[in-house]
Amino acid sequence: MHHSARAMAFILFLAPAISLAQEPVAITPAAPVPSATPAFYPVPELMAGFHQLYEQKFQPARETFNDWHSNHPEEPLGEVALGASFLFEEMYRQGVLTSDFFLNEKKFLHGIDGKPDSVRMNNFRDALSRARILARQRLKTNPKDPEALFALTLAAGMESDADAILEKKQLDGLKRMKEANEYAKQLLAVHPDAADAYVAPGIANYIIGSLNPGYRFALWFGGIHGDKKLGMEQIAKTVANGRYLRPFAKIMLALAARREKQNTLAQKLLHELTEEFPSNDTYAAEYAKAMGLPVPAVITR
């Protein structure tokens, strides 16, 4: 595909996310949510699994998520977490969450070189399919069930990332992003403190704001206004108050800060990540790069 055509396809993929970021969300009083509902309460087992995930201990994380889900088979978040483990593993494998990717304009705007691992991606999509079945069953009982809306938002958002970044299927990514935005609007209307929901529109706002001025000018006619500053502020909301996606938001904000020459912010966030996840070689390497130090040798496990 011609370079400009690919760029416009990517713009179309991101457009719905920006509309969510900029449209006012009608906030109604939050529906009562049980204190132990896993999507909005830091369940120790799930937090432990995500900690393993962020330390790149993907198989142990999957075992933790599977153990929890076997005891809570009606909860869609267990399958969403399992899907996240496959997606994050592939993103780390492809170097997506690195400054080498973020500071390379071609990769940043158009996705990875080559193809993702087919087995890993099939496992990812199978987990999301099971999560959606469970979530939709809950919506039959309560159309505003925040647990279901949270799971569906994350599932669609993750799949849109996989489509656009890993598989470079912009039209499929567009469909999933529209779906994610609709569920996110519903989620924020009934549970406005769902800070994890700000990651997707924040990243989209930042990327649109990073595009060539000519492409951004074309978007103004569609009412879409990318804003790098706003995007970073939205991601920062998840950094401040997120639960399961807080470390993911930190690495994304740190990499955006590297692009914007906000070195102090990048160094701070990356240092925090290396302290919290000492086994993650990627965080250690990115912190070294941000500090202008030699990249450390790969940790032997």
Side-chain angles (χ1 to χ4, degrees), residues 198-238:
Y198 287 101
V199 171
I203 293 172
N205 229 335
Y206 178 78
I207 293 177
I208 289 291
S210 301
L211 289 173
N212 179 290
Y215 299 136
R216 290 167 58 197
F217 180 75
L219 289 173
W220 276 79
F221 289 96
I224 301 165
H225 311 149
D227 186 327
K228 291 193 291 185
K229 182 176 182 293
L230 175 60
M232 292 178 72
E233 290 173 352
Q234 290 169 321
I235 298 170
K237 290 184 178 181
T238 303

Side-chain angles (χ1 to χ4, degrees), residues 134-250:
L134 292 172
R136 286 165 183 157
Q137 288 174 345
R138 295 176 71 103
L139 291 179
K140 289 179 182 178
T141 302
N142 176 11
K144 295 184 178 181
D145 184 307
E147 193 78 16
L149 294 173
F150 183 77
L152 291 170
T153 297
L154 295 190
M158 287 193 299
E159 196 159 21
S160 71
D161 290 340
D163 287 338
I165 297 172
L166 297 176
E167 297 185 340
K168 292 170 283 189
K169 298 178 179 178
Q170 271 74 23
L171 292 180
D172 290 338
L174 173 60
K175 289 171 58 178
R176 287 306 184 194
M177 183 54 74
K178 286 181 177 179
E179 180 182 320
N181 288 343
E182 182 56 38
Y183 286 128
K185 288 179 183 179
Q186 296 178 51
L187 171 65
L188 292 171
V190 297
H191 208 88
D193 67 334
D196 285 331
Y198 287 101
V199 171
I203 293 172
N205 229 335
Y206 178 78
I207 293 177
I208 289 291
S210 301
L211 289 173
N212 179 290
Y215 299 136
R216 290 167 58 197
F217 180 75
L219 289 173
W220 276 79
F221 289 96
I224 301 165
H225 311 149
D227 186 327
K228 291 193 291 185
K229 182 176 182 293
L230 175 60
M232 292 178 72
E233 290 173 352
Q234 290 169 321
I235 298 170
K237 290 184 178 181
T238 303
V239 170
N241 298 306
R243 297 173 178 88
Y244 305 110
L245 298 184
R246 186 179 184 184
F248 174 67
K250 275 193 177 184

Side-chain angles (χ1 to χ4, degrees), residues 36 38 41-53 60-72 77-78 81 244:
Y41 175 80
V43 176
E45 296 89 342
L46 289 176
M47 292 297 291
F50 273 92
H51 190 93
Q52 291 171 316
L53 189 159
R62 284 192 274 274
E63 293 170 4
T64 300
F65 294 144
N66 280 325
D67 287 345
W68 183 84
H69 187 61
S70 67
N71 293 318
H72 304 83
L77 189 56
Y244 305 110

Side-chain angles (χ1 to χ4, degrees), residues 15-155:
I18 297 300
S19 66
L20 169 63
Q22 296 178 335
E23 288 178 7
V25 178
I27 301 297
T28 58
V33 179
S35 61
T37 185
F40 303 102
Y41 175 80
V43 176
E45 296 89 342
L46 289 176
M47 292 297 291
F50 273 92
H51 190 93
Q52 291 171 316
L53 189 159
Y54 292 121
E55 286 204 324
Q56 297 182 317
K57 299 176 180 178
F58 300 109
Q59 187 55 38
R62 284 192 274 274
E63 293 170 4
T64 300
F65 294 144
N66 280 325
D67 287 345
W68 183 84
H69 187 61
S70 67
N71 293 318
H72 304 83
E74 77 287 354
E75 295 286 357
L77 189 56
E79 294 288 5
V80 170
L82 183 62
S85 75
F86 291 112
L87 178 63
F88 277 47
E89 184 173 11
E90 188 61 23
M91 291 177 79
Y92 279 117
R93 174 178 172 268
Q94 296 287 348
V96 171
L97 302 178
T98 68
S99 55
D100 291 340
F101 187 91
F102 262 62
L103 301 181
N104 182 312
E105 289 298 303
K106 179 181 177 183
K107 290 182 178 180
F108 180 70
L109 296 176
H110 304 299
I112 65 170
D113 296 327
K115 297 180 179 180
D117 181 85
S118 60
V119 173
R120 191 172 292 119
M121 297 309 295
N122 286 338
N123 288 333
F124 163 69
R125 294 186 189 280
D126 287 346
L128 295 194
S129 178
R130 295 189 297 268
R132 288 185 172 111
I133 291 172
L134 292 172
R136 286 165 183 157
Q137 288 174 345
R138 295 176 71 103
L139 291 179
K140 289 179 182 178
T141 302
N142 176 11
K144 295 184 178 181
D145 184 307
E147 193 78 16
L149 294 173
F150 183 77
L152 291 170
T153 297
L154 295 190

